[in-house]
C-alpha cells in the first residue's frame, strides 16, 4: 500500500470537513494502483504530519509516496 498526495482543492475540502486533522492529506492506494476503499466502497484518505509520514514509511506501513 502506498500514499498519493491529493490535489489542493480536495485537500481544502477534506480540511474543511475535518478541521482537527493537521498535516498533508493523502489518498491510500493499493499496490496495483487502484484506490483503497472500505467495505462500504468509500475511498480512504489519511492526514499525516511530516514526522508521522516518516515513521509510517520507515515501519513499512506504506511503501512510498506519490506527489
Amino acid at each position: 500500500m502506498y500514499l498519493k498526495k491529493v490535489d489542493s482543492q480536495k485537500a481544502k475540502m477534506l480540511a474543511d470537513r475535518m478541521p482537527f486533522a493537521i498535516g498533508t492529506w493523502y489518498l491510500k492506494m493499493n499496490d496495483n494502483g487502484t484506490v483503497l476503499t472500505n467495505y462500504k466502497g468509500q475511498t480512504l484518505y489519511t492526514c499525516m504530519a511530516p514526522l508521522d509520514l516518516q515513521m509510517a514509511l520507515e515501519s513499512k506501513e506504506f511503501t512510498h509516496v506519490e506527489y
Side-chain angles (χ1 to χ4, degrees):
M1 183 168 39
Y2 67 95
L3 298 173
K4 185 173 184 179
K5 188 174 178 184
V6 299
D7 63 54
S8 58
Q9 183 179 4
K10 185 69 170 181
K12 178 164 178 16
M13 186 214 52
L14 291 165
D16 288 346
R17 293 178 85 185
M18 292 176 261
F20 52 85
I22 298 171
T24 303
W25 284 96
Y26 299 96
L27 182 61
K28 291 184 176 183
M29 304 290 292
N30 286 312
D31 288 329
N32 64 6
T34 60
V35 176
L36 192 66
T37 57
N38 66 9
Y39 71 96
K40 292 182 179 180
Q42 298 167 321
T43 302
L44 299 179
Y45 295 92
T46 187
C47 184
M48 301 182 108
L51 182 59
D52 297 326
L53 177 60
Q54 180 183 350
M55 290 187 325
L57 290 170
E58 287 173 0
S59 71
K60 306 217 184 302
E61 181 179 352
F62 301 106
T63 57
H64 65 282
V65 179
E66 284 187 5
Y67 292 97

